[in-house]
Amino acid sequence: MTRTLRIGDQVVLDRERLAGLFEAIRKLGYVVHGPILSDGAIVLGPIESDRDLPIGWRDRQDAGTYRLERREDDAVFGYAVGPHSWKRLLFPPKRSLWRAEREGARFHLLPIVEDTPKLALFGVRPCEMAAIRVQDRVLANGQYQDSNYASRRRQAFVVVADCHEPGGGCFCASLGTGPTEQGEGWDLAMTEILQGRHRFLVRAGSSKGLDVLRALPWTETSPADLQAAERQRQRALRRMGRRMNPEGAKELLYQAASDNHWDEIAQRCLMCGNCTMACPTCFCVTVVDRTSLDGSQTERERVWDSCFSLEFSYIHGGSVRFSPYARYRHWMTHKLASWQDQFGTMGCVGCGRCIVWCPVGIDITEELETFRSRVGGNREAVR
Amino acid sequence: MRAIPKAKRPKLAVWKFASCDGCQLSILDLEDQLLEVLGSVELAYFPEATRAVLKGPYDISLVEGSITTRHDAKRIQEIRRNSAFLVSIGACATAGGIQALRNYANLRNYIQAVYPRPEFIDSLDKSTPIRNHVFVDFELRGCPVSKEQLLEVLNALLNGRKPNIPAYSVCLECKRKGNVCVMVAASRPCLGPVTQAGCGAICPSFHRGCYGCFGPAESPNGASLAAWLRRLGQDDEAIVRLFRSFNAASEAFHSVSTAHENPKPQG
């Protein structure tokens, strides 16, 4: 350590020193969550040290299928993304909004404990970082702020890990959200190098990240490190399982609103809502009011909801989107088209979860291209 | 807890038709809330809990079981006439139950095979849900029902609000819990995507496929799920067995099982 590190400086951390990174983060009072092996998948859970990571595992993914496999090396980040996304931690599936107690003909509010843990998110993929930025726009920086999300997000320490083993469902490269495009919003970014000495290229993206990095036994990068990282990036780009052409997607889907192909999709779609639960940007919720049996207390709880449920669009007189095709059309059109009008970005980051975790393997990239071919636009094959 | 004066407590009756008693026993399984429940209603008829019998009419009737005899078909009419709000509870009462498997066979053959004196058995050819016979105000699914949902319906009735009983798929509950999908990650057949939520995704939480005991969700696409199960290596016989259990006679499951029982010739 011969110089003072600055934000953005890329340095080398040996694999054997990874445990120190966890110690440094935990010393700052963070509860670290990251990828762990559980029930035949790599999911997100609390981790104590590098030993809890899915070392030496990879995933094989395709439409409607996911399997774990042993790798031939001891890669720490040798897999793509699993069924969980970080919204589980930043925007939990259930949360109490308020409680009240009856007092004669009046009522008074009872205090609720705002659960805003100081989280460290370890091993966030660039596509997932992009998804967090999408949710930031919607939940923290938009017209209506979700204070719980904003607080969790503000406190979070984010460690991004470049992707060197994309999965069969992945198409981040075609959307510019990966495999190594980290964008903004993180504290540390890591690139795992498997070739030669097992090591990581690490850089800080914030002063919090810089404090952590400065405390670690880093060394300077060599041209060989950078070349190895670039080779890995090129390999990842070649192995991207899918592709989505976002060009003109908005106009394309608006024009396709009455296309018969929606009916064909609805023949396959189960209306189960798995895609919306697995999607890292889907943010829809409903509220449920609970009462005590004697009616003296009530609690309003917020839970993840899905635009595939009938009640989601239920208003006086019935559900607005009653037919299955209207529900799938709403979801896909929102994700790729109207999201742009609403929030200025696409709602899709190319992680492929909706394809992989669809029980019948409906592929949003394929459906988009089907619509493209039907309106006589760009007929270029997608895969 | 605010005590409800006895005279103002709604009269609750619990009725049994062709069933195993498991659903009504869920009331007694509400161990932590049982005293509060009993303090909020007047038990008018509930032979599993008390010998005391009060005359009707009843404010709330919980009806368990399916209609399988002429006698029961008459009895349910009487109960309906005496009940302000009638809730059918469980797969038997809402879909005909496991005993609706008789609908796919010759009842006479069963009776001959099982009973030494078949002439004593007077039974209908089909097992049918309560709503086929009388108007039902609310249906609670499951084999057995979820005791939490049962409490929620009573709670909602006592407080004059809508019960929070979602009609969407088990998958929403399963994913909220953070379960790894057993179908995607292990090719295990699972009816979760076409089955109504409410159980808390119990079976997938223990790495098993859902067997659909809560019956069809609001917009079930069983045909598409069955086609995918074929791709996962399930044969027609397995698909028929999967869709033909506790909710065999529900229209959405029945249509899939019959389609795969007599599959169209390939090609």
Side-chain angles (χ1 to χ4, degrees), chain A residues 105-298:
Chain A
R106 301 156 57 93
F107 68 92
H108 65 267
L109 293 177
L110 298 168
I112 58 160
V113 184
E114 273 290 353
D115 183 23
T116 51
K118 208 173 152 189
L119 297 165
L121 316 181
F122 183 86
V124 176
R125 299 305 193 174
C127 65
E128 299 182 307
M129 192 60 240
I132 292 173
R133 284 193 300 273
V134 169
Q135 288 214 324
D136 285 349
R137 273 173 176 261
V138 178
L139 300 167
N141 307 328
Q143 197 176 352
Y144 307 100
Q145 198 186 66
D146 180 313
S147 58
N148 188 272
Y149 176 90
S151 164
R152 281 171 178 249
R153 177 69 182 100
R154 199 168 42 243
Q155 291 187 79
F157 187 92
V158 180
V159 182
V160 171
D162 281 349
C163 198
H164 59 74
E165 196 72 75
C170 296
F171 53 99
C172 62
S174 52
L175 298 184
T177 52
T180 58
E181 284 72 0
Q182 310 98 2
E184 295 174 337
W186 43 271
D187 299 287
L188 282 179
M190 305 176 72
T191 308
E192 180 174 37
I193 308 283
L194 293 165
Q195 216 172 37
R197 196 173 85 256
H198 194 176
R199 61 206 188 277
F200 301 93
L201 304 186
V202 190
R203 55 227 165 266
S206 71
S207 52
K208 275 190 293 186
L210 194 60
D211 288 344
V212 169
L213 189 53
R214 277 178 177 159
L216 297 174
W218 55 270
T219 55
E220 296 288 354
T221 48
S222 69
D225 294 326
L226 301 178
Q227 282 162 16
E230 180 55 24
R231 270 197 301 276
Q232 231 171 235
R233 179 181 132 78
Q234 292 301 331
R235 181 175 173 275
L237 285 170
R238 284 195 303 275
R239 292 161 73 96
M240 203 62 53
R242 282 173 160 75
R243 202 177 96 82
M244 176 185 272
N245 178 4
E247 211 184 297
K250 189 174 99 176
E251 295 72 22
L252 180 70
L253 287 170
Y254 284 166
Q255 280 165 33
S258 348
D259 196 308
N260 292 336
H261 184 59
W262 296 113
D263 274 327
E264 194 281 320
I265 300 172
Q267 301 276 312
R268 287 176 280 138
C269 178
L270 302 177
M271 298 288 115
C272 60
N274 271 303
C275 47
T276 57
M277 298 287 112
C279 176
T281 69
C282 273
F283 54 78
C284 283
V285 288
T286 187
V287 290
V288 181
D289 289 332
R290 305 192 187 285
T291 52
S292 61
L293 211 54
D294 65 357
S296 65
Q297 293 204 1
T298 184

Side-chain angles (χ1 to χ4, degrees), chain B residues 71-101:
Chain B
H71 171 252
D72 277 355
K74 273 189 204 141
R75 190 161 62 99
I76 188 63
Q77 299 295 337
E78 181 66 21
I79 289 168
R80 175 70 270 193
R81 269 196 295 279
N82 271 316
S83 308
F85 201 88
L86 189 151
V87 185
S88 51
I89 60 168
C92 299
T94 58
I98 193 73
Q99 61 272 26
L101 288 179

Side-chain angles (χ1 to χ4, degrees), chain B residues 105-120:
Chain B
N106 186 324
L107 181 66
R108 197 176 302 268
N109 292 348
Y110 278 151
I111 293 173
Q112 299 282 354
V114 173
Y115 297 99
R117 301 289 298 272
E119 63 273 22
F120 290 159

Side-chain angles (χ1 to χ4, degrees), chain B residues 12-50:
Chain B
L12 176 77
V14 183
W15 309 98
K16 175 185 160 67
F17 288 84
S19 59
C20 76
D21 275 34
C23 288
Q24 52 175 304
L25 286 175
S26 305
I27 302 169
L28 300 179
D29 282 344
L30 287 167
E31 290 162 1
D32 294 341
Q33 300 90 359
L34 191 59
L35 290 178
E36 206 184 337
V37 171
L38 295 180
S40 312
V41 297
E42 193 175 4
L43 271 194
Y45 183 80
F46 188 8
E48 286 278 19
T50 172

